[in-house]
Amino acid sequence: ELATLAIGCALKVHKALGPGLLESAYLECLVYELKKLDLRVEKQKAIPLIYNEVKLEVGYRADLVVEEKLIIELKAVESLTDVHLAQLLTYLRLADCKLGLLMNFNTLLFRDGVRRVIL
């Protein structure tokens, strides 16, 4: 249900703005739409790496974390690659989160740029 709400908000943003903008523009608009639904949204949330029981801040940042249950990684690229998917999978594992969305706003049809990931 949370992923469906997020995809609906992202679709609304994509319909209004279309492809071709910077990732940061889509991110801010998506945050606005999600907060209108009274969802807790954290942007650029730091994700630490735990190594040998030591918490290391190594610069990993999830674009959006919604309700502490969903990680959304936004892109505005020609096409999504395996590296983008690997990035989201890494964030999901490190944050101990089960659900993620990889969204590419640089597509004519938004549905072609969305991947749902469940660990």
Side-chain angles (χ1 to χ4, degrees), residues 6 30 34 62-66 70-74 88 100-101 103:
L30 183 54
L34 291 167
D63 286 338
L64 296 176
V65 178
V66 182
L70 170 66
I71 294 178
I72 302 175
E73 192 60 28
L74 274 74
L88 177 57
L101 291 172
M103 298 180 172

Side-chain angles (χ1 to χ4, degrees), residues 63-102:
D63 286 338
L64 296 176
V65 178
V66 182
E67 294 287 323
E68 297 180 6
K69 296 178 184 175
L70 170 66
I71 294 178
I72 302 175
E73 192 60 28
L74 274 74
K75 301 294 177 196
V77 294
E78 189 172 324
S79 62
L80 293 174
T81 67
D82 290 341
V83 172
H84 299 129
L85 180 59
Q87 179 185 15
L88 177 57
L89 288 169
T90 297
Y91 293 167
L92 289 170
R93 278 193 303 273
L94 293 177
D96 195 27
C97 192
K98 305 294 181 224
L99 180 59
L101 291 172
L102 182 57

Side-chain angles (χ1 to χ4, degrees), residues 104-117:
N104 182 15
F105 281 84
N106 197 29
T107 60
L108 289 177
L109 293 175
F110 183 69
R111 69 173 183 233
D112 293 340
V114 178
R115 292 196 59 186
R116 183 183 189 129
V117 178

Side-chain angles (χ1 to χ4, degrees), residues 4-95:
T4 302
L5 290 172
I7 291 170
C9 288
L11 181 58
K12 188 173 184 179
V13 170
H14 189 269
K15 280 184 178 180
L17 301 177
L21 299 178
L22 293 175
E23 181 181 307
S24 57
Y26 297 113
L27 182 112
E28 292 300 327
C29 293
L30 183 54
V31 167
Y32 172 78
E33 289 296 334
L34 291 167
K35 285 186 174 183
K36 279 179 27 182
L37 298 177
D38 289 324
L39 296 172
R40 274 179 296 130
V41 182
E42 297 172 272
K43 60 182 177 177
Q44 299 300 317
K45 182 175 181 180
I47 300 178
L49 171 66
I50 308 295
Y51 180 75
N52 285 336
E53 299 178 17
V54 176
K55 184 177 176 180
L56 304 169
E57 298 296 334
V58 292
Y60 292 123
R61 296 202 176 279
D63 286 338
L64 296 176
V65 178
V66 182
E67 294 287 323
E68 297 180 6
K69 296 178 184 175
L70 170 66
I71 294 178
I72 302 175
E73 192 60 28
L74 274 74
K75 301 294 177 196
V77 294
E78 189 172 324
S79 62
L80 293 174
T81 67
D82 290 341
V83 172
H84 299 129
L85 180 59
Q87 179 185 15
L88 177 57
L89 288 169
T90 297
Y91 293 167
L92 289 170
R93 278 193 303 273
L94 293 177

